[in-house]
Amino acid sequence: MHIDTVGIIGAGTMGNGIAQACAVSGIKVVMVDITQEAVNKGLATIVASLERLMKKHKLTAAQRDAAMALIHGSTRYADLQPAQLVIEAATENYDLKVKIVKQIEAMVGPDVIIASNTSSISITKLAAVTGRADRFIGMHFFNPVPLMALVEIIRGLQTSDATHAAVHALATALGKTPITVKNAPGFVVNRILVPMINEAFFVLSEGLASAEDIDAGMKLGCNQPIGPLALADMVGLDVCLAVMEVYLSEFGDSKYRACPLLKEMVAAGRLGRKTGQGVYLYSE
């Protein structure tokens, strides 16, 4: 299957990032969100991102204009009909994703592939609520999508070889490097990464070192581009907590218990960059 039009549900951080990556690669995009305000915000974010690439001489004005011309923002699921693939990129919540997937399925043709950008929820379980489990797959992008090279392609138990091949080809066409992963909580990258972030919160809560020194230690000692606590702020502390709770529930292993400090900060609304405060304080 050749994919020339991609539908995306969600105009937030991941959704608009995926939309930008597709459009820059010459693929048409229909980006859907609940309100026009959310759609407009997503489109504005893409424009700002493309402007930054222009300033770095990685994109021309003509390329920027061509990319934006390929993106159609909408609040209507019916506008997804031209797509050969629809990617769900909503909040990491199983019930919400099930609702969205069923809405997508009701609006698109029987041959359309549905993908989820989930970072932790079972692809097999999501596929089972559809009537096209063989055409359901995980397509996990990483933030910031325009800059990160990796896409995890997650095969559910029911995913067909043809579906995998089409999505693998699309990821490659976007200039990404896809890796194929079996369905399991957290897949590969987050299975390793999020428990490490959680452990950094335990180290911080025990007073072993300051947040700055923890991050400096991991950057300079392990050659990581960003420390785990700063990364948690970028990802969102609520997202990190949600992923740990999925691991604990699915594996039943106490090593996946979330750090109480992480829970406390989420309860306080200190979710990281998106709220202006997490482990660190952010100004506009």
Side-chain angles (χ1 to χ4, degrees):
M1 174 190 286
H2 176 67
I3 297 170
D4 60 32
T5 304
V6 171
I8 299 168
I9 305 298
T13 301
M14 297 305 294
N16 68 57
I18 297 167
Q20 177 180 326
C22 289
V24 167
S25 300
I27 294 166
K28 296 175 186 175
V29 176
V30 180
M31 184 173 68
V32 176
D33 211 313
I34 298 170
T35 67
Q36 190 61 48
E37 181 183 9
V39 171
N40 291 343
K41 185 177 180 182
L43 292 171
T45 300
I46 296 170
V47 170
S49 177
L50 295 175
E51 293 285 352
R52 286 193 296 273
L53 291 173
M54 284 177 58
K55 288 178 181 177
K56 294 176 181 178
H57 305 291
K58 294 182 178 180
L59 202 71
T60 66
Q63 289 172 320
R64 174 202 61 194
D65 294 343
M68 290 307 301
L70 291 173
I71 303 173
H72 171 63
S74 175
T75 58
R76 300 172 65 248
Y77 274 70
D79 289 343
L80 296 169
Q81 289 178 2
Q84 295 91 29
L85 165 71
V86 180
I87 303 170
E88 169 277 311
T91 306
E92 198 72 353
N93 177 288
Y94 173 74
D95 291 335
L96 175 62
K97 288 184 183 295
V98 167
K99 179 182 176 182
I100 289 171
V101 165
K102 287 183 175 180
Q103 286 178 295
I104 295 169
E105 188 167 39
M107 280 295 171
V108 299
D111 295 330
V112 173
I113 297 170
I114 301 177
S116 175
N117 182 55
T118 181
S119 57
S120 63
I121 296 171
S122 169
I123 295 300
T124 296
K125 190 175 178 181
L126 285 173
V129 307
T130 76
R132 64 183 80 204
D134 60 322
R135 292 183 297 286
F136 194 96
I137 198 166
M139 199 174 189
H140 180 212
F141 292 82
F142 290 78
N143 186 31
V145 177
L147 302 180
M148 297 294 279
L150 181 67
V151 178
E152 281 183 316
I153 298 177
I154 305 101
R155 297 189 67 151
L157 187 64
Q158 317 93 316
T159 306
S160 71
D161 290 343
T163 296
H164 173 264
V167 170
H168 192 282
L170 174 67
T172 303
L174 298 182
K176 306 299 184 185
T177 300
I179 62 171
T180 299
V181 179
K182 290 181 180 179
N183 184 65
F187 316 128
V188 168
V189 174
N190 283 342
R191 170 79 175 273
I192 298 167
L193 178 65
V194 181
M196 183 193 73
I197 289 173
N198 190 54
E199 195 63 28
F201 275 93
F202 273 114
V203 170
L204 179 63
S205 69
E206 292 166 17
L208 297 184
S210 67
E212 291 81 3
D213 283 351
I214 292 167
D215 279 349
M218 293 304 292
K219 286 170 65 179
L220 302 176
C222 297
N223 204 28
Q224 295 182 353
I226 184 171
L229 297 172
L231 179 58
D233 276 355
M234 182 182 294
V235 170
L237 271 59
D238 54 334
V239 175
C240 294
L241 176 59
V243 172
M244 288 303 297
E245 288 176 339
V246 167
Y247 293 173
L248 184 62
S249 172
E250 294 292 324
F251 290 116
D253 190 329
S254 62
K255 75 179 181 180
Y256 294 112
R257 73 197 186 285
C259 176
L261 176 60
L262 175 60
K263 290 183 176 181
E264 188 81 358
M265 293 181 74
V266 171
R270 296 181 180 179
L271 308 183
R273 287 181 177 270
K274 61 188 173 186
T275 59
Q277 186 174 8
V279 176
Y280 300 102
L281 186 63
Y282 301 90
S283 57
E284 291 296 331

